[in-house]
Amino acid sequence: MIDTRGRKRAAPILEPIAAGLAKIHVTPAIVTIVGLAVTIGGAALIATGYLIAGGFTAGFGVALDALDGPLARKLGTASDRGAFLDTMSDRFGEIAVWVGLTVYLSEEPRLLILCIIALAFSLLVPYVRAKAELYDLVGKGGWMGRAERMILILIGTIIVGFGAPIMEPLLWLFVILTGFTVAQRIRKTWQQLDT
């Protein structure tokens, strides 16, 4: 998953930015909230048909999310509240992107249904992890973590904005891969549970 590997690779880029933000007294909570606001702004652009601008804007908002962790560590302010705020922000941002797409595709029932299924699977992926961790089990894993989901749908949306007729295949690919990830996590959790 990109979530784990990507953060290690991005550390040389993120750490200096986090250090700069720490010097001007920007808190991790501010970064999280601004990232969510930018993502919602991008989703609104997608909803109104500005797919390229919306995709890039939402992508920037999602990228900001990667800064709150390094910044919290730099400031020594990592906390359960911060982690909770970050998780809620992730979910709201993801929902916003899908709502933007469903509004954009509201005249196409088949694609609208695919969006709804995609959103459902997107929310089930972290839900299964949370449920596993409630039992002190490992709930991570699978092909489509949050980073992969956002990269796929936002890059796909930008490509559609440039005129490529790939929206339906993109949504089918998303539904299949994310549904499979839900199944992977359910299976992994089930295997760890006592009989």
Side-chain angles (χ1 to χ4, degrees):
M1 281 174 47
I2 292 172
D3 287 341
T4 305
R5 296 177 193 158
R7 285 179 187 168
K8 289 179 183 175
R9 291 179 185 163
I13 298 168
L14 297 177
E15 293 297 333
I17 297 171
L21 291 172
K23 284 181 183 176
I24 59 172
H25 307 292
V26 175
T27 67
I30 290 172
V31 171
T32 300
I33 292 166
V34 170
L36 175 59
V38 172
T39 303
I40 290 171
L45 288 170
I46 291 169
T48 54
Y50 295 98
L51 301 185
I52 298 169
F56 278 115
T57 302
F60 180 68
V62 170
L64 280 175
D65 178 64
L67 277 171
D68 55 8
L71 180 57
R73 288 188 292 276
K74 186 71 66 179
L75 293 171
T77 58
S79 67
D80 290 339
R81 278 187 175 179
F84 178 73
L85 178 63
D86 182 51
T87 300
M88 291 299 98
S89 173
D90 289 350
R91 300 294 78 77
F92 281 118
E94 199 164 359
I95 290 167
V97 168
W98 284 107
V99 169
L101 268 176
T102 56
V103 171
Y104 173 70
L105 297 170
S106 60
E107 301 296 319
E108 302 186 52
R110 186 169 67 254
L111 300 186
L112 189 59
I113 290 168
L114 286 172
C115 280
I116 293 168
I117 296 169
L119 172 58
F121 282 151
S122 292
L123 294 177
L124 277 171
V125 170
Y127 175 80
V128 176
R129 174 181 171 180
K131 197 67 175 174
E133 290 175 353
L134 188 64
Y135 296 106
D136 291 323
L137 306 175
V138 177
K140 294 181 180 180
W143 291 350
M144 295 290 283
R146 178 176 180 266
E148 290 87 353
R149 294 193 306 273
M150 298 310 287
I151 287 169
L152 177 60
I153 198 58
L154 291 175
I155 289 178
T157 298
I158 291 167
I159 292 170
V160 171
F162 279 111
I166 62 160
M167 183 59 83
E168 185 164 355
L170 170 68
L171 292 174
W172 274 111
L173 179 65
F174 193 97
V175 165
I176 291 166
L177 292 178
T178 310
F180 187 70
T181 300
V182 172
Q184 286 177 303
R185 289 192 176 189
I186 289 172
R187 180 175 179 270
K188 184 176 183 178
T189 302
W190 184 262
Q191 289 175 333
Q192 295 174 82
L193 287 167
D194 294 330
T195 53

